[in-house]
Amino acid sequence: MSKIQEVKAMVEVGKAKLVPGLVQEALNEGNAAGDILQAMIDSMEVVGDKFSKGEAYVPEMLMAAKAMSKGVDVLKPLLAVESTSSLGTCVIGTVQGDLHDIGKNLVAMMLESAGFSVVDLGVDVAADKFVEAIKENQNVTLVACSGLLTTTMPAMKETVQTLKGSGLTGFKVIVGGAPVTQEMADSIGADGFAPDAGMAVVKAKELVKA
Ligand code: B12
């Protein structure tokens, strides 16, 4: 088994203590950070499928998530190359009722490295909290909302509508997360959508420079 396959297998079974070392070994073998990250994302897909089939439960998902986070910590310095340009402040959070944060954290990390100052509100963030954060922080040019559950899509909609109806200006709203599509983003009035952390950077730059 290649090191990258070992990383994938150990994330799947939630071995948080083993994963960082294996990620480092995979890097030492010459694997690209992006490929190792993708292997871990694939693992989460596998765990999610098992959950859907009743072959894995919440604790297994949680352990896999912890293992992936530990692996991402090793990759962070390689994925995030500091940028000198300033694109303003991005307020980011996972919408109310939703506790998933791995994707949100990846997006935050990539936006920070692209030149945004990132204010991360965490998970289960009520619409009003996003509005408060815009008032409390200087030069907010982007608000990024993450959501992984179909059941929290109404909270995503409420968040976007609260932001748009707040009377505050100077920022764009980008949304994302597995159940989010371009059509959905358009229908709730978001300014942009991206399917992954890499595309989030491309879209975010496009939005704030427009
Ligand atoms: C890990 C996990 C958990 C962990 C989360 C831990 C954590 N710290 O995040 C825990 C155990 C807490 C959990 C709980 C639950 N989960 Co869960 N979970 C997952 C799992 C396996 C992986 C998610 C993940 O991290 N993926 C990897 C990351 C990198 O991908 P990502 O989040 O999609 O992010 C990428 C893109 O979407 C995008 N993106 C994300 N956010 C944003 C934001 C912006 C602005 C942009 C532009 C882009 C963007 O970029 C990211 C990077 O490329 C998924 C399965 C799956 N296939 O996704 C289920 C899954 C999301 N969970 C699911 C469910 C049902 C639940 C529970 C309801 C289970 C239960 N019965 O309690 C609870 C809900 C708890 C809550 N209130 O939130 C379902 C959702 C089904 C649905 N359609 O609604 C899934 C799909 C599993 C399944 N197949 O059934 N879960």
Side-chain angles (χ1 to χ4, degrees):
M1 203 190 279
S2 72
K3 277 292 164 224
I4 213 161
Q5 282 172 322
E6 274 187 60
V7 170
K8 190 170 181 293
M10 290 302 114
V11 169
E12 269 172 47
V13 292
K15 296 282 182 198
K17 284 193 180 147
L18 289 182
V19 169
L22 287 170
V23 167
Q24 190 55 57
E25 286 174 36
L27 285 169
N28 295 347
E29 270 188 2
N31 291 289
D35 292 342
I36 302 171
L37 178 65
Q38 189 55 52
M40 292 195 283
I41 292 175
D42 293 346
S43 305
M44 301 309 279
E45 205 62 50
V46 173
V47 176
D49 287 348
K50 283 189 178 164
F51 178 80
S52 298
K53 291 184 199 147
E55 293 166 8
Y57 301 93
V58 170
E60 281 91 349
M61 284 204 287
L62 198 54
M63 284 161 70
K66 277 191 185 149
M68 174 158 177
S69 293
K70 294 279 177 204
V72 170
D73 284 347
V74 179
L75 295 179
K76 236 179 223 172
L78 297 162
L79 294 170
V81 181
E82 281 301 316
S83 161
T84 47
S85 68
S86 175
L87 295 168
T89 300
C90 168
V91 170
I92 190 167
T94 302
V95 297
Q96 191 160 34
D98 206 318
L99 302 175
H100 296 85
D101 69 357
I102 298 182
K104 186 260 300 163
N105 293 345
L106 283 174
V107 172
M109 187 178 86
M110 298 296 280
L111 289 176
E112 192 162 26
S113 72
F116 285 93
S117 302
V118 172
V119 175
D120 189 344
L121 303 179
V123 297
D124 191 16
V125 182
D128 292 348
K129 294 274 176 210
F130 282 97
V131 174
E132 275 169 37
I134 299 172
K135 291 180 186 160
E136 282 165 9
N137 291 280
Q138 284 189 345
N139 192 24
V140 175
T141 53
L142 188 72
V143 178
C145 306
S146 179
L148 263 277
L149 298 170
T150 44
T151 49
T152 53
M153 290 302 103
M156 175 90 78
K157 182 177 178 182
E158 195 198 329
T159 304
V160 174
Q161 291 182 345
T162 303
L163 287 164
K164 293 287 175 182
S166 66
L168 299 168
T169 54
F171 64 89
K172 296 284 172 60
V173 181
I174 185 169
V175 293
V180 185
T181 59
Q182 183 65 59
E183 292 69 36
M184 188 259 183
D186 291 342
S187 76
I188 64 174
D191 300 300
F193 155 79
D196 57 49
M199 287 306 294
V201 169
V202 174
K203 191 71 200 175
K205 281 185 176 169
E206 193 185 303
L207 288 174
V208 303
K209 284 177 180 168

